[in-house]
């Protein structure tokens, strides 16, 4: 007689709870190297965003450290990088300029509170209303912005920058054909740094962007009076930062979902972004959100897929600044520019602008994509472009669906009756001209409106049907509405006769 299977031992249960990277050396190596490449790319970006916000470079670097480390623990999207960003810097720069650093830090903390509240209220569910054409426009605009951000580093610089840039791009294209064990961007950065230092080539370096911090950030409260006056001053900026940060983070999370063919909790991501900003504020950072360029380096170029790479990106950032500051300062900007140019090229959806695709794609879809790209590039704000793109897509959709509503008179059961068959979706755009589709004067005394092939979506459609009945009644004719499906009948029964005085 066979004995019953024994329950798993505590050690076996613990092994079952281990993340994949703890037991797979290949994953471990990919995550570590991916985090290191991202950390190197974060340093000049964080310094640049600090300048935009009008704060010391250390403030941006501290924010990138605390955002990345915190979001790796509480965020919803694995392998996504959050740090100080240009979008957030633009929103909070006026606060720092007009009221000082203490108010900026208070804004970051309150923005985090708003993001937690919005996440708990389900704002992440709004992502389902972002159409594919807007998402494509978002991706293409992102690639253009990443490239445009590198242009100043290629303008009015020593001639040696250009061969270094070409050499960095060549290394990233050719090195993966030799081996993919080490990320090509890391090899490119190391080789170009070694060449410039050994040959004594004078080119712009990371150190030229600003002084790196020499110690870890210390937690503390913002230096502001805790009064209602302070709250009313900070709240508008905090809400704007919360919305911009969530929009950019959720769009980036959705993009990574598509690239990795995995799903993530957008609600958890929203709340996680809020927690990360609160932590960042208490450590004196300038706040942030998901970084699209660095996320693409981590996910698409390095192949990272776990929270370890995000955690290490923030950790390596501080280690590089504090322990290896002099070495990091010698990295030529040409090496990092080459990495970002390669990222922009890989991020752009070239299939979306191929002549064959444009020929087959409906004109409205293409228009939405182009408008999204144009607004993002013009405003340098991904959130504004996505909102305008979504509004444009709604208008295009409404116009398209509105034309599908048809009114067709058919033969009635007798000479004293006419039947109108209405087909399509009835809502504000399609029902506006519904009233003019009937022959009020010449129709017989009994009119039947058959809605079995239609659906009523809003009060505008009920008001239009009421107007039709009124026009017939004024001429002494009876109207019968038939064929309503259950939702349409419920809406019509609740609103008919109640929409006019």
């Amino acid at each position: 007689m066979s004995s019953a299977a024994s329950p798993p031992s505590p050690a076996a249960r613990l092994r079952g709870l281990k993340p994949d990277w703890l037991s797979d050396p290949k994953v471990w190596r990919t995550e570590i190297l991916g985090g290191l490449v991202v950390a190197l790319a974060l340093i000049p970006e964080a310094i640049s965003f600090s300048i935009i916000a009008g704060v010391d470079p250390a403030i941006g670097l501290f924010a990138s450290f605390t955002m990345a480390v915190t979001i790796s623990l509480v965020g919803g999207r694995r392998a996504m990088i959050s740090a100080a960003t240009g979008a957030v810097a633009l929103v909070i720069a006026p606060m720092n300029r007009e009221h000082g650093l203490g108010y900026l830090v208070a804004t970051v903390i309150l923005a985090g509170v708003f993001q937690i509240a919005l996440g708990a209220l389900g704002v992440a569910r709004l992502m389902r209303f972002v159409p594919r054409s807007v998402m494509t426009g978002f991706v293409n605009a992102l690639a253009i912005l990443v490239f445009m951000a590198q242009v100043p580093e290629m303008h009015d610089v020593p001639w040696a920058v250009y061969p270094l840039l070409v050499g960095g791009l060549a290394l990233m294209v050719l090195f993966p054909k030799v081996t993919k064990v080490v990320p090509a961007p890391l090899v490119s950065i190391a080789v170009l740094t070694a060449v410039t230092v050994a040959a004594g080539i004078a080119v712009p370096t990371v150190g030229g962007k600003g002084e790196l911090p020499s110690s870890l950030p210390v937690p503390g409260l913002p230096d502001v009076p805790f009064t209602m006056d302070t709250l009313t001053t900070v709240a508008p900026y905090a809400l704007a930062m919360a919305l911009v940060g969530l929009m950019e983070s959720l769009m980036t999370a959705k993009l990574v979902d598509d690239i990795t063919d995995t799903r993530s909790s957008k609600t958890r991501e929203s709340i996680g972004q809020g927690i990360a900003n609160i932590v960042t504020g208490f450590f004196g950072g300038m706040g942030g959100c998901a970084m699209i360029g660095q996320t693409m380096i981590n996910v698409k170029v390095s192949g990272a897929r776990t929270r370890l790479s995000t955690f290490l990106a923030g950790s390596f950032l501080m280690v590089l600044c504090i322990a290896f500051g002099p070495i990091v300062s010698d990295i030529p900007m040409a090496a990092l520019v080459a990495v970002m140019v390669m990222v922009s090229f890989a991020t752009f959806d070239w299939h979306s602008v191929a002549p064959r695709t444009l020929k087959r794609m409906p004109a409205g879809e293409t228009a939405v994509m182009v408008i999204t790209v144009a607004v993002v590039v013009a405003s340098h704000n991904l959130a504004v472009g996505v909102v305008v793109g979504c509004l444009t897509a709604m208008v295009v959709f409404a116009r398209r669906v509105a034309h599908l509503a048809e009114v067709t008179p058919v033969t009635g059961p007798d000479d004293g009756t006419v039947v109108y068959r209405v087909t399509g979706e009835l809502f504000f755009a399609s029902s506006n001209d519904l009233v003019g589709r009937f022959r009020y004067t010449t129709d017989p005394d009994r009119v039947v409106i058959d809605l079995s092939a239609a659906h009523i979506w809003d009060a505008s459609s009920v008001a239009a049907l009421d107007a039709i009945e009124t026009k017939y009644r004024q001429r002494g004719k009876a109207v019968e509405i038939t064929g309503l499906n259950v939702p349409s009948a419920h809406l019509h029964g609740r609103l008919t006769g109640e929409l006019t005085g």
Side-chain angles (χ1 to χ4, degrees):
M1 183 175 176
S2 62
S3 59
S6 59
S9 66
R13 285 198 298 270
L14 185 61
R15 284 196 298 272
L17 294 173
K18 283 183 181 180
D20 293 340
W21 51 266
L22 280 178
S23 54
D24 189 338
K26 185 184 288 186
V27 174
W28 178 276
R29 183 179 62 243
T30 299
E31 300 299 310
I32 291 176
L33 294 176
L36 181 57
V37 173
V38 170
L40 290 168
L42 275 174
I43 293 173
E45 294 275 305
I47 295 173
S48 299
F49 298 145
S50 300
I51 295 169
I52 292 172
V55 298
D56 189 81
I59 304 296
L61 290 165
F62 288 158
S64 295
F65 162 60
T66 53
M67 286 292 298
V69 169
T70 306
I71 204 68
S72 69
L73 302 174
V74 299
R77 176 63 257 176
R78 297 178 180 180
M80 192 168 78
I81 306 297
S82 290
T85 61
V88 168
L90 287 170
V91 172
I92 60 176
M95 174 60 72
N96 181 63
R97 190 167 54 247
E98 296 168 18
H99 301 282
L101 181 61
Y103 279 82
L104 181 148
V105 171
T107 301
V108 172
I109 294 172
L110 185 58
V113 174
F114 281 147
Q115 287 178 329
I116 292 174
L118 289 168
L121 291 172
V123 70
R125 287 195 290 270
L126 295 176
M127 288 303 296
R128 72 182 67 179
F129 297 108
V130 178
R132 184 185 179 281
S133 52
V134 173
M135 193 68 195
T136 303
F138 168 82
V139 170
N140 291 345
L142 155 67
I144 293 170
L145 285 184
V146 169
F147 181 82
M148 287 174 61
Q150 313 314 310
V151 172
E153 303 295 340
M154 297 183 276
H155 177 67
D156 196 21
V157 292
W159 68 269
V161 167
Y162 302 108
L164 286 173
L165 181 61
V166 172
L169 291 171
L171 274 171
M172 283 184 285
V173 171
L174 299 175
F175 189 78
K177 296 179 180 179
V178 178
T179 178
K180 293 184 179 179
V181 172
V182 182
L186 184 58
V187 173
S188 178
I189 292 169
V191 169
L192 294 190
T193 303
V195 168
T196 54
V197 171
I201 303 172
V203 292
T205 62
V206 169
K209 287 288 183 180
E211 189 176 347
L212 302 181
S214 56
S215 62
L216 289 170
V218 178
L221 294 174
D223 184 18
V224 296
F226 293 92
T227 63
M228 188 57 68
D229 234 6
T230 301
L231 181 62
T232 55
T233 301
V234 165
Y237 291 94
L239 182 59
M241 175 184 161
L243 292 173
V244 168
L246 279 184
M247 176 75 74
E248 198 152 331
S249 299
L250 295 176
M251 289 294 290
T252 305
K254 189 172 188 298
L255 176 60
V256 177
D257 287 353
D258 293 341
I259 291 172
T260 61
D261 197 24
T262 57
R263 297 188 64 180
S264 61
S265 170
K266 305 303 183 295
T267 297
R268 178 175 172 179
E269 184 62 39
S270 302
I271 296 172
Q273 288 290 331
I275 295 171
N277 272 307
I278 291 173
V279 171
T280 297
F282 281 121
F283 275 92
M286 57 180 276
C289 61
M291 287 199 81
I292 305 164
Q294 274 65 21
T295 297
M296 290 301 101
I297 293 175
N298 197 42
V299 173
K300 211 165 187 180
V301 179
S302 299
R305 292 293 183 270
T306 77
R307 300 180 188 279
L308 179 62
S309 58
T310 307
F311 179 86
L312 290 178
S315 302
F316 282 148
L317 175 64
M318 280 293 99
V319 172
L320 289 168
C321 290
I322 296 171
F324 301 98
I327 298 173
V328 173
S329 295
D330 287 335
I331 295 175
M333 284 302 299
L336 298 175
V337 169
V339 172
M340 299 309 291
V341 168
M342 184 62 71
V343 167
S344 67
F345 184 85
T347 301
F348 196 91
D349 186 352
W350 297 102
H351 176 73
S352 67
V353 295
R356 183 178 178 184
T357 304
L358 293 175
K359 188 176 179 180
R360 294 185 176 186
M361 191 68 67
E365 300 281 321
T366 303
V368 169
M369 181 190 72
V370 171
I371 289 171
T372 303
V373 171
V375 173
V376 170
V377 172
S379 66
H380 284 251
N381 191 319
L382 290 160
V384 172
V386 170
V387 170
V388 172
C390 288
L391 292 174
T392 306
M394 283 192 236
V395 172
V396 170
F397 175 76
R399 284 177 58 86
R400 186 183 302 158
V401 175
H403 294 306
L404 298 179
E406 296 290 341
V407 178
T408 308
V410 296
T411 305
D414 53 65
D415 292 339
T417 302
V418 63
V419 177
Y420 283 95
R421 186 172 181 79
V422 181
T423 59
E425 309 300 320
L426 301 182
F427 65 112
F428 62 90
S430 61
S431 60
N432 280 337
D433 63 346
L434 192 66
V435 179
R437 308 286 287 276
F438 294 82
R439 301 172 300 198
Y440 302 99
T441 305
T442 59
D443 279 341
D445 291 340
R446 183 170 179 269
V447 178
V448 176
I449 301 176
D450 180 10
L451 295 175
S452 57
H455 187 98
I456 299 175
W457 287 104
D458 60 5
S460 297
S461 303
V462 177
L465 292 172
D466 283 355
I468 293 168
E469 288 188 86
T470 300
K471 285 181 176 293
Y472 275 116
R473 197 178 301 116
Q474 288 171 346
R475 292 167 174 78
K477 300 175 182 181
V479 176
E480 180 185 0
I481 295 176
T482 64
L484 288 169
N485 57 34
V486 175
S488 298
H490 177 70
L491 183 64
H492 184 265
R494 185 155 51 93
L495 296 180
T496 185
E498 303 292 333
L499 299 172
T500 56

